[in-house]
Amino acid sequence: MPRISSDTLWELAAAEVHSRETGGGEEDGGGEDGGESVSERTVFLMGSKAGGKTTILLRCLDRDEPSKPTLALEYTFGRRARGHNTPKDIAHLWELGGGTSLSDLVQIPISPVSIRSLSVILILDLSKPNALWGTMEKLLQAAQDQLEKVFSLAQQGQKTKSGTKHQTSVHSAARVLPKDFPDRELISPFPVPLLIIGSKYDLFQDFDSDKRKVVSKTLRFIAHYYAASLVFTSIKSESLMSKTKSFFSHLAFGLDRGKTVTSDPTKPLIIPAGFDSFTQIGSPPTSDVDITSLHAKNPKDLWKKVYERVFPQENTSEQRELKDPAKDPRYSEPQIDAMRVQKDQELDQYKRNAAKSWKGLELDT
């Protein structure tokens, strides 16, 4: 019997998904019979630790179930029928847990198979402004680095493979802004559609008005700089969750995201991509800061320095998850846990015996 490599099944699955996304094959419903094809999109959620990512995702999917802390990287999916007796569109949904501590896992949802239909949602906890910029910066940079790596691999693949269909699918993955997009020459668009969600607005609205203004204007700048949509929400507000769901459904299923625009800092922000501008946002709120004293390399760096003067950032680079999942009572397995304890004891005994033997060897020497 011929030996089958361990990744053969993965390769076949990846090829099947790629075939469906690029319109190939006979099972996509797009053949001569005129059937409708099934749309498959991928949405990757990341953001602040304990920022409400899972709860927001469940609400957007209309799932009435309690949320649990995300251990590392979790996958689920959503389906939506376009109409009666029509195929159901599928959204592949990935959620990264742990805040910034597991940012290297972005390589799993951001892959050559997913980029053609990929969107990213960044959820930032508005109630913790001192961790907001660091979280945003590290996660977006990790995602962007992985996207650039995947795009580079895709371009290299073009040089070794022929075929119009393959080339079209790779080129269509790159995000192209309309020519009339505000400040098109001054911004740095995120490589794929990006939605920034400010969570826990119910707590944020009780902040001092000046501090709310700093956070709101800064996030408006960041969202516009990356050509992203921005929405503030709270799981305690049905109205805000409804608007958040429309943005989510736009990315996951291609539905209309609505036409509501709110840029008043005294209200929850709702700004679709392309509906803001640097002129409307204005300059950084620097009532207590002399801009000339800040040695910034570019506009984004200037906003960062002003923001960090108001909200000194916590160190997020070392916030590794130190808890051992094997000792978490939520994942208790009595028989396995008992065997684990026994093996740990055997390991400790082995270490003690080994230490004694090495000490004796040193004395003999």
Side-chain angles (χ1 to χ4, degrees):
M1 182 176 180
R3 183 177 180 273
I4 301 177
S5 63
S6 60
D7 60 349
T8 297
L9 291 178
W10 288 106
E11 291 176 346
L12 290 173
E16 175 66 19
V17 172
H18 179 73
S19 175
R20 293 181 181 182
E21 290 180 344
T22 55
E26 298 177 357
E27 298 181 3
D28 64 355
E32 295 179 359
D33 60 354
E36 294 184 76
S37 62
V38 175
S39 170
E40 295 191 28
R41 300 168 184 250
T42 300
V43 181
F44 175 38
L45 291 87
M46 57 184 184
S48 304
K49 185 176 181 180
K53 298 183 293 295
T54 304
T55 304
I56 291 174
L57 177 58
L58 291 175
R59 293 283 292 273
C60 288
L61 293 173
D62 293 324
R63 293 183 184 173
D64 185 16
E65 58 186 82
S67 62
K68 298 179 181 179
T70 304
L71 185 61
L73 181 68
E74 296 189 1
Y75 169 84
T76 187
F77 66 92
R79 293 187 296 180
R80 184 184 185 279
R82 303 177 196 174
H84 187 60
N85 292 330
T86 59
K88 289 186 177 181
D89 294 336
I90 301 173
H92 302 284
L93 309 169
W94 294 89
E95 181 190 347
L96 179 68
T100 61
S101 64
L102 301 172
S103 58
D104 53 337
L105 293 180
V106 301
Q107 60 186 304
I108 296 175
I110 302 177
S111 68
V113 174
S114 69
I115 55 170
R116 187 170 181 267
S117 60
L118 177 69
S119 299
V120 173
I121 297 179
L122 176 67
I123 298 178
L124 300 173
D125 189 342
L126 296 175
S127 70
K128 298 178 180 178
N130 295 88
L132 188 147
W133 187 284
T135 298
M136 175 274 300
E137 188 172 50
K138 182 168 184 178
L139 290 177
L140 287 185
Q141 189 60 56
Q144 192 157 5
D145 290 346
Q146 177 63 15
L147 282 164
E148 291 175 357
K149 184 184 302 183
V150 170
F151 280 123
S152 177
L153 291 174
Q155 291 173 354
Q156 292 176 12
Q158 279 186 353
K159 298 177 182 179
T160 58
K161 292 184 179 181
S162 61
T164 306
K165 183 177 294 185
H166 175 74
Q167 294 181 1
T168 302
S169 67
V170 173
H171 284 301
S172 63
R175 187 183 182 196
V176 179
L177 296 180
K179 293 183 178 181
D180 59 348
F181 197 94
D183 306 309
R184 191 171 185 268
E185 303 300 324
L186 303 175
I187 62 178
S188 179
F190 201 68
V192 297
L194 172 65
L195 168 62
I196 299 177
I197 298 177
S199 65
K200 302 186 181 181
Y201 182 79
D202 54 303
L203 300 177
F204 177 70
Q205 65 182 349
D206 295 331
F207 281 26
D208 174 78
S209 60
D210 290 337
K211 291 186 176 181
R212 286 205 316 271
K213 183 178 181 180
V214 172
V215 174
S216 297
K217 289 192 68 174
T218 300
L219 286 180
R220 282 182 65 186
F221 171 83
I222 290 298
H224 185 57
Y225 179 79
Y226 285 113
S229 296
L230 174 65
V231 58
F232 285 1
T233 195
S234 168
I235 60 174
K236 297 182 179 181
S237 169
E238 290 297 331
S239 174
L240 291 180
M241 281 306 307
S242 176
K243 293 180 174 61
T244 304
K245 183 180 177 181
S246 69
F247 278 86
F248 170 83
S249 298
H250 174 70
L251 297 179
F253 303 110
L255 302 182
D256 184 9
R257 65 188 174 191
K259 300 180 180 180
T260 302
V261 179
T262 304
S263 57
D264 185 346
T266 64
K267 299 178 180 179
L269 297 181
I270 304 172
I271 308 177
F275 283 77
D276 212 344
S277 68
F278 289 141
T279 301
Q280 296 176 47
I281 297 170
S283 59
T286 56
S287 56
D288 299 327
V289 182
D290 181 10
I291 292 184
T292 59
S293 66
L294 301 177
H295 302 288
K297 297 175 289 186
N298 49 56
K300 180 185 171 186
D301 191 40
L302 175 63
W303 278 84
K304 176 181 179 180
K305 291 181 181 297
V306 171
Y307 185 86
E308 291 182 341
R309 285 288 184 93
V310 181
F311 300 106
Q313 293 296 283
E314 300 172 355
N315 182 16
T316 59
S317 61
E318 300 298 329
Q319 291 180 353
R320 288 279 177 181
E321 183 59 69
L322 300 178
K323 294 181 180 179
D324 185 355
K327 299 178 181 179
D328 193 323
R330 292 177 298 157
Y331 309 107
S332 175
E333 292 286 350
Q335 293 181 336
I336 297 177
D337 294 341
M339 183 60 70
R340 173 65 184 269
V341 170
Q342 178 184 335
K343 293 300 180 182
D344 286 343
Q345 292 173 348
E346 292 176 359
L347 178 59
D348 289 339
Q349 184 62 43
Y350 173 80
K351 289 179 178 178
R352 286 194 293 269
N353 293 338
K356 291 179 181 179
S357 63
W358 279 106
K359 288 181 181 178
L361 180 62
E362 292 172 357
L363 290 175
D364 292 341
T365 304

